[in-house]
Amino acid sequence: MQPPHSNAATSQSQSQATTAATEFHDAARETMEAKIREALETLSQIQVTVMNHESADEQVLQQRVDRLVRGFAEMHTAKDQLNASVPEEVLAYIRDGRNPDEFTSQFMERVASENQFTNGKIAALSNFKHEFEEKLREFFPEESSERLDR
């Protein structure tokens, strides 16, 4: 037989493991976000270099393209540390050239609207139950007191 505190110890170790996994995932996500920001900055620098193209800029352009490729390789390696899924709808927004924040905003509005609708249904059912119980007590006092007061 195990001591009574072993369940608490197991629960605590599971909690610590979950916290450690979450912290690891958060660190991996932050690292990936930093790499994406670096890649965007490098793309911006490449764009400026190409727009102001002069023969002396060839080496600078090559260095920036190399930095971009290394960054993509690092992202490809780091992706295995992430456990993230992106809804297909968000990917469709991005493919259509729309801002994914727009999807989030519309989703939150939809959820709030559905929440209000559901709360209205709950209130209506609660009112119906109250009225129904009142009528039962009025027309069937003996039977309703047995069943409703449990």
Side-chain angles (χ1 to χ4, degrees):
M1 181 169 176
Q2 294 181 349
H5 69 287
S6 67
N7 286 342
T10 302
S11 177
Q12 184 180 9
S13 66
Q14 288 173 344
S15 175
Q16 289 172 345
T18 302
T19 301
T22 301
E23 288 173 359
F24 176 77
H25 184 264
D26 288 347
R29 183 183 47 79
E30 289 173 9
T31 300
M32 182 62 81
E33 287 176 358
K35 291 185 183 310
I36 291 171
R37 282 191 294 276
E38 289 172 14
L40 290 172
E41 178 62 30
T42 302
L43 282 169
S44 176
Q45 292 172 355
I46 290 172
Q47 179 184 14
V48 169
T49 304
V50 168
M51 297 300 277
N52 301 327
H53 184 67
E54 295 179 14
S55 60
D57 292 336
E58 297 255 346
Q59 185 178 7
V60 172
L61 179 60
Q62 183 62 42
Q63 290 171 348
R64 289 179 177 164
V65 169
D66 288 344
R67 185 178 349 137
L68 181 65
V69 170
R70 276 192 310 276
F72 284 151
E74 291 170 1
M75 281 187 255
H76 183 72
T77 302
K79 76 174 173 36
D80 296 331
Q81 297 175 351
L82 292 175
N83 183 14
S85 61
V86 179
E88 185 62 37
E89 295 90 357
V90 173
L91 295 175
Y93 263 66
I94 294 169
R95 272 193 298 271
D96 294 342
R98 296 163 64 188
N99 187 340
D101 290 339
E102 183 181 328
F103 171 81
T104 303
S105 175
Q106 290 176 354
F107 181 77
M108 293 303 293
E109 288 174 11
R110 220 173 32 246
V111 167
S113 175
E114 289 174 13
N115 188 31
Q116 273 186 314
F117 181 73
T118 302
N119 286 339
K121 281 184 167 183
I122 290 170
L125 285 171
S126 178
N127 289 339
F128 173 75
K129 178 184 177 234
H130 180 70
E131 293 290 325
F132 186 69
E133 287 176 350
E134 280 184 18
K135 295 298 180 184
L136 281 176
R137 282 190 174 96
E138 181 181 332
F139 292 106
F140 306 103
E142 291 176 16
E143 293 87 356
S144 63
S145 65
E146 292 173 11
R147 295 179 190 260
L148 295 177
D149 294 335
R150 288 186 204 180

